Every structure is written in C-alpha cells, then in structure tokens.
Amino acid sequence: MITRAVVVPQPPLLVPGIAAGARESTAELRAACVAAAGGLAEVASRWVAVGTGEDTVSVTPPGACGSFRGYGVDLGVRLSETPGAPAELPLSALITGWLREQAGAAEATVHTFPADTPAARAAKTAALLAERHPGHGLLVLGDGANRHGPRSPGGEHDRAPGFDAAVAEALGSADTAALLTLDADFCTELGAGGRFPWQVLASLAEGGTWTAELLYSAAPFGVGYHVAVWTRA
C-alpha cells in the first residue's frame, strides 16, 4: 500500500547549477521540494514517480542514469545507488533522480505520460502503480499553468491565477474530487502539464482518508509551481 505521496513541479531551475542567476529566487521552491522529498524518503526508500512531458508513455527503470547536459549543465543523476549505462532520460526522470539523491532514497521508477493523457486513464494507472509498487513512496511531478503574466512562457491568460489557486487549495486539502474534475482541454489551454499526474494521485487516494500539507504555491517565472505532501491516515 502506498501511504505517502509528494507533489512537486519539474522545472530544470530546481537544480542550482541550472538556476545560475535565478538561484536565490528559486531557493524557497527548491527548499520545499527537497523537504518534501526528504519526507517521502522517511517512509519509503523506494519510489514510484509519475510525470508528464513525453509524446508517448514510457517507464524509466531504477537502473537508469542520465544528465542535465541538455539543459546547460553536465550534471549526472541516477535513479538508484547502483546505476546502469547512461541514457537520454525525460525531464521527469532527471528531476526524480536529482530529488532522490537529495533525499537519500534507494531507488525510483518513473512513469511518464503525454500531458494530454485522458483523465479516464488515471484510475487504471493508479491501480497499476499500487499493484506493482506496494510499499513505495509516490512522487507526483507536474507544473501548473504557464500563463501567469505577460512575460510567461505561454503568454498571459486571465484565468491562470484562479486556476492555480484552485489547484493549490485542492492539493492542500487532499480534495480528490476537485483534481479529478479538472478539464483536460482547459488545462491544455493554460499549459498546465501537471493535470494528469495530479489525477493519478487523486484516483489512488480516492475513498481513503488522507492528510495534506501545502508547502509551496507560487508562479515565480510565470508558471504555477505547487509542492504538497499527502499522507494516508
């Protein structure tokens, strides 16, 4: 049974070497992510992660290792303490590997999905993860809307702030219904890539009793970033 889940965003700027001049402005976000990952490692040395960003569904096994070279820094990361051969890893796997190392967890398996994966698939994915990874900690990776303000990556959208405020409220109160009813088309319009991973979490938690803590919620670079910890009561 999965008893703890952690929600984090997946910007490359989490890594200090990549953040460079933005290191100070990302310090609070980075600290929240590392604290959440540390809390996950406290209850589970093995993790299963769910993220988005690739065009097809992929699974990155614990033996994989890669590098942030494509993001400007030749920093290697590993998904376990005993890595195999280097490979090109999706961003969700690179961030998972970096957080695993910060937290001292033993290993992680990463499932990556296209951002437009239908919500109807979330329940099946959640059941599969619970069946295949019993006793693991769940790491949920995904960003909010990328349309906060005129200088945001997706261009300003007047509904982006309200959307991420609602997501923050849901993540901070373990409101599974609110997450499960997020509209896929609207999330695509807002550039909110975390929608499907959040719905996997909600599907896994649905029907149970969970406590939730929101550690961070802001849009420092025009993108909504949320960090939360859910623990099964």
Side-chain angles (χ1 to χ4, degrees):
M1 178 183 293
I2 292 175
T3 61
R4 180 166 293 177
V6 162
V7 176
V8 297
Q10 55 179 39
L13 287 173
L14 277 181
V15 180
I18 297 175
R23 184 176 299 191
E24 289 189 11
S25 57
T26 55
E28 184 181 357
L29 169 62
R30 185 177 305 109
C33 291
V34 171
L40 191 61
E42 287 177 0
V43 300
S45 64
R46 294 182 298 164
W47 297 354
V48 57
V50 180
T52 58
E54 299 302 291
D55 294 331
T56 59
V57 177
S58 65
V59 179
T60 307
C65 59
S67 170
F68 282 99
R69 186 181 300 108
Y71 296 93
V73 175
D74 191 11
L75 173 67
V77 294
R78 307 182 303 183
L79 288 178
S80 76
E81 298 169 342
T82 55
E88 292 294 326
L89 302 185
L91 178 59
S92 55
L94 292 173
I95 294 297
T96 297
W98 184 78
L99 287 173
R100 181 203 68 79
E101 293 175 0
Q102 303 306 303
E107 65 177 42
T109 301
V110 184
H111 297 253
T112 307
F113 296 84
D116 61 356
T117 302
R121 188 168 180 175
K124 182 177 180 180
T125 300
L128 185 66
L129 296 181
E131 177 184 352
R132 292 187 177 180
H133 304 280
H136 283 47
L138 176 62
L139 184 67
V140 180
L141 303 107
D143 301 342
N146 68 0
R147 306 189 65 179
H148 291 259
R151 299 181 65 183
S152 60
E156 188 171 19
H157 194 299
D158 60 0
R159 295 182 65 184
F163 170 83
D164 274 307
V167 169
E169 173 65 25
L171 291 174
S173 60
D175 188 342
T176 59
L179 295 174
L180 289 171
T181 54
L182 290 174
D183 182 76
D185 290 338
F186 184 50
C187 289
T188 298
E189 180 182 338
L190 293 179
R195 188 265 312 167
F196 183 71
W198 299 334
Q199 290 179 328
V200 172
L201 167 62
S203 295
L204 186 144
E206 194 174 28
T209 302
W210 294 71
T211 59
E213 181 181 7
L214 186 69
L215 303 185
Y216 181 94
S217 182
F221 302 102
V223 183
Y225 298 142
H226 310 289
V227 182
V229 178
W230 287 25
T231 303
R232 189 186 297 270

